[in-house]
Amino acid sequence: MWKFATPIKHQIPDTRWPTAAESSRSLMFRPIRVGPVTLSSRTWVPAMVPWRATEDGFVTQDNLDWYRRFAQGRPAALVVEATGIRDIPSGPLLRIGHDRFLPGLKKLVETVREASDGQTKLFIQIIDFLAVKRRPDPKKYFQRFLQITDHHRRTLSELTGDSTWNQSDEKRVRAWLAQAPEEIIERLLDDRELEALRFGYRERVTDTHLPHIKELPQVLPRIFADAARRARDAGFDGVELHYAHAYTMAGFLSARNDRNDVYGGPRENRVRLPLEVYRAVRERVGHDYVIGVRFLADEVIAGGSRINDATYFGVEFAKAGFDYLSISKGGKFEDAEQPKVAQAVYPYTGRSGYECMPTTLSDERGPFGRTVPLVAQIKQAVNAAGCNTPIVATGGITTFDQAESILQNGAADMIGMARQALADPDWFRKVRSGHGDEVRRCTYTNYCEALDQAHRQVTCKLWDRKELDEPGITFSSDGRRRLVAPDWNDFVVS
């Protein structure tokens, strides 16, 4: 994981929790209209991937238990994890690319409705992603994966002073490369080939020499629309289109998108497909259904989009008719750490990954509300354009005073808590009822994120080894950790 050269250790902030009367008067616990629905408060649990689906993408009992536990905390809105829209294998992640997934998704909706007494609105984040392969063993890479060309032969001839390489068969070239010194490899392979060797092969939206990449603008609007229709059929209150981080739609928005068609280059071209996807989804689900978007305030990576791009996109999304904008930051492949052989690159290990999920080992700004100033700039631009589209702020928001200040200052309209809600799903009930001093405070060490990186079932170190003798609890696949937070038994909602 990326770290500052001279990190400063920050403590989670001291705070005074509000009384129940103070909470009732707050902006945070005031209702807000989001498109056709009204949320009971400004509280929001963003999408988190818990690694609990089947290998075929079906809902499991562990998924139901996970979302039930968050719903018991009564957030106004809960967003289900990034859910794949294509009917292709994607490991233990939820999928919505075929009607066969509907029964499980319907059960998930029913579970949240029951657990929250209907108080929590449930949205589902839908996502597309391109191929990312594991880092290969170097010998296998040269034996099987590298496409040998005349360029390689000519370069090898020049580097070794041996002209016979120009006529060498592929088998000889591969065998020699498998034991070649690193300095030769670095001069022989181009940037993409070196990346495939050192990080694993990864597709980009700019790989228009590949027919399936070139045709994405013709294919994705329908696939997203079909997925959104299934979400509505399953009973979700809305969909969140995932245009953030390291995935397909974020690739189209990126300043690094230099496609030579009308979907790359200038910002107005880069936003074209995201808007076309939105319009296809809106046409399919109607205007009485919530459609939100998650996108980046800053990609953080070299050559990536910055806040001026994000404010432009935010205005375009609001004008198009999105019902809410949820803002994140970073989380890109381009600056990720090199994975071990046989592991896949993880887009939250570089500087951009840190900015997405900052820890208490930080710079002088610290990790708390680090993205909020950028969110405020997007909100200001959206409002100046004559739109009142609600905007969700996320990232290191942990106390009531911090959240209320963000709302009162007009930096955002809703408060998203992911890691803090994972640490204590009852944060919202406790604070609203005057029991804030019982909140289990996230320590922002990213224990949960390390589990995600390893594709292990995500839990929180503050509770996954607690009360292991509690009857009826379920355990992680290794049998060592409980999979949901202990119940809060000290208070009963009236």
Side-chain angles (χ1 to χ4, degrees):
M1 175 60 68
W2 183 90
K3 292 182 175 63
F4 288 98
T6 55
I8 300 169
K9 175 66 175 177
H10 293 259
Q11 302 299 316
I12 58 173
D14 292 331
T15 190
R16 185 192 73 82
W17 296 102
T19 64
E22 289 170 332
S23 291
S24 69
R25 295 192 297 267
S26 71
L27 188 55
M28 186 172 190
F29 290 106
R30 189 176 302 170
I32 185 172
R33 190 77 177 171
V34 176
V37 306
T38 298
L39 303 185
S40 61
S41 70
R42 315 298 178 95
T43 58
W44 190 279
V45 177
M48 291 176 273
V49 175
W51 297 99
R52 282 160 168 76
T54 70
E55 287 291 330
D56 297 322
F58 288 97
V59 172
T60 65
Q61 185 61 47
D62 287 342
N63 283 121
L64 300 180
D65 293 343
W66 169 269
Y67 289 106
R68 176 188 293 109
R69 189 65 190 88
F70 284 108
Q72 288 170 344
R74 307 297 200 278
L78 172 59
V79 185
V80 169
E81 66 206 69
T83 302
I85 61 172
R86 295 180 191 255
D87 194 16
I88 57 174
S90 53
L93 306 173
L94 288 181
R95 286 159 55 187
I96 195 169
H98 190 276
D99 285 355
R100 69 179 180 277
F101 298 109
L102 283 176
L105 294 171
K106 288 179 179 178
K107 181 64 175 175
L108 195 159
V109 172
E110 293 166 1
T111 297
V112 168
R113 294 275 186 273
E114 179 182 2
S116 69
D117 290 332
Q119 294 184 33
T120 297
K121 299 299 183 184
L122 188 64
F123 307 134
I124 185 168
Q125 188 182 74
I126 54 178
I127 185 174
D128 184 70
F129 44 86
L130 301 179
V132 179
K133 304 297 185 181
R134 298 174 187 272
R135 179 186 170 191
D137 175 270
K139 289 185 178 180
K140 287 186 177 180
Y141 176 75
F142 290 117
Q143 290 169 359
R144 297 169 51 190
F145 302 132
L146 178 65
Q147 183 177 353
I148 303 298
T149 67
D150 287 342
H151 166 76
H152 294 122
R153 293 183 174 91
R154 288 194 303 270
T155 305
L156 194 52
S157 177
E158 294 168 3
L159 291 175
T160 63
D162 182 355
S163 61
T164 64
W165 285 113
N166 288 312
Q167 289 79 40
S168 291
D169 63 21
E170 188 173 301
K171 184 176 180 180
R172 182 190 175 208
V173 175
R174 291 186 183 280
W176 194 89
L177 289 176
Q179 50 78 47
E182 187 69 15
E183 58 268 24
I184 294 291
I185 297 300
E186 289 183 351
R187 297 174 66 182
L188 183 70
L189 303 185
D190 64 26
D191 290 343
R192 290 293 295 275
E193 290 167 340
L194 278 172
E195 179 189 90
L197 169 63
R198 294 172 174 171
F199 289 81
Y201 172 75
R202 177 170 63 85
E203 291 180 341
R204 294 160 165 78
V205 301
T206 52
D207 291 338
T208 52
H209 61 286
L210 301 173
H212 68 282
I213 299 292
K214 184 176 182 179
E215 296 166 2
L216 284 173
Q218 288 72 53
V219 170
L220 285 179
R222 176 187 58 80
I223 298 177
F224 269 99
D226 288 346
R229 186 270 301 170
R230 293 186 188 98
R232 179 153 196 169
D233 289 349
F236 289 94
D237 296 294
V239 293
E240 179 174 281
L241 307 186
H242 197 337
Y243 291 178
H245 306 314
Y247 307 105
T248 307
M249 298 305 295
F252 276 94
L253 288 174
S254 175
R256 295 171 65 113
N257 171 14
D258 60 357
R259 284 176 66 114
N260 58 5
D261 56 17
V262 296
Y263 295 97
R267 289 187 305 205
E268 56 268 25
N269 283 4
R270 298 183 342 247
V271 80
R272 187 187 304 270
L273 181 59
L275 291 176
E276 289 177 355
V277 166
Y278 164 75
R279 287 192 287 269
V281 170
R282 179 61 77 192
E283 182 178 359
R284 187 67 57 87
V285 300
H287 290 274
D288 59 342
Y289 193 67
V290 173
I291 305 175
V293 61
R294 178 84 158 159
F295 70 105
L296 298 176
D298 187 341
E299 286 193 291
V300 181
I301 55 174
S305 298
R306 298 290 179 260
I307 185 60
N308 59 323
D309 298 285
T311 53
Y312 172 80
F313 297 146
V315 169
E316 292 300 305
F317 293 154
K319 288 165 60 177
F322 275 99
D323 293 309
Y324 71 82
L325 313 180
S326 179
I327 313 301
S328 189
K329 185 180 182 183
K332 306 294 291 185
F333 282 122
E334 284 79 1
D335 65 350
E337 290 182 351
Q338 184 182 37
K340 295 179 181 179
V341 170
Q343 293 186 358
V345 64
Y346 182 67
Y348 301 98
T349 49
R351 172 66 187 265
S352 72
Y354 175 87
E355 293 294 344
C356 182
M357 289 180 281
T359 71
T360 49
L361 283 176
S362 188
D363 58 8
E364 63 278 0
R365 286 185 294 161
F368 303 108
R370 196 175 175 91
T371 305
V372 170
L374 302 181
V375 176
Q377 290 184 58
I378 296 170
K379 178 172 168 56
Q380 182 179 23
V382 167
N383 293 161
C387 302
N388 60 359
T389 310
I391 293 179
V392 184
T394 62
I397 302 174
T398 179
T399 71
F400 171 82
D401 285 344
Q402 179 193 13
E404 183 69 6
S405 176
I406 291 168
L407 297 173
Q408 293 288 351
N409 292 336
D413 301 288
M414 293 175 285
I415 299 298
M417 294 182 178
R419 287 174 291 176
Q420 177 55 67
L422 174 61
D424 193 341
D426 296 307
W427 190 101
F428 314 101
R429 291 172 62 205
K430 289 176 178 177
V431 174
R432 189 166 197 164
S433 64
H435 292 73
D437 57 349
E438 298 181 36
V439 165
R440 186 185 301 111
R441 303 284 302 279
C442 176
T443 57
Y444 295 92
T445 61
N446 281 2
Y447 170 93
C448 51
E449 187 247 353
L451 292 169
D452 177 50
Q453 181 177 351
H455 295 183
R456 298 172 64 191
Q457 294 153 312
V458 172
T459 55
C460 176
K461 70 176 184 179
L462 300 180
W463 52 254
D464 64 2
R465 307 294 175 92
K466 308 292 185 183
E467 302 176 33
L468 297 183
D469 58 348
E470 181 180 300
I473 64 172
T474 54
F475 288 87
S476 58
S477 54
D478 60 13
R480 300 173 59 194
R481 298 174 291 124
R482 62 181 300 148
L483 287 179
V484 296
D487 290 336
W488 181 40
N489 297 317
D490 296 334
F491 176 67
V492 178
V493 176
S494 59

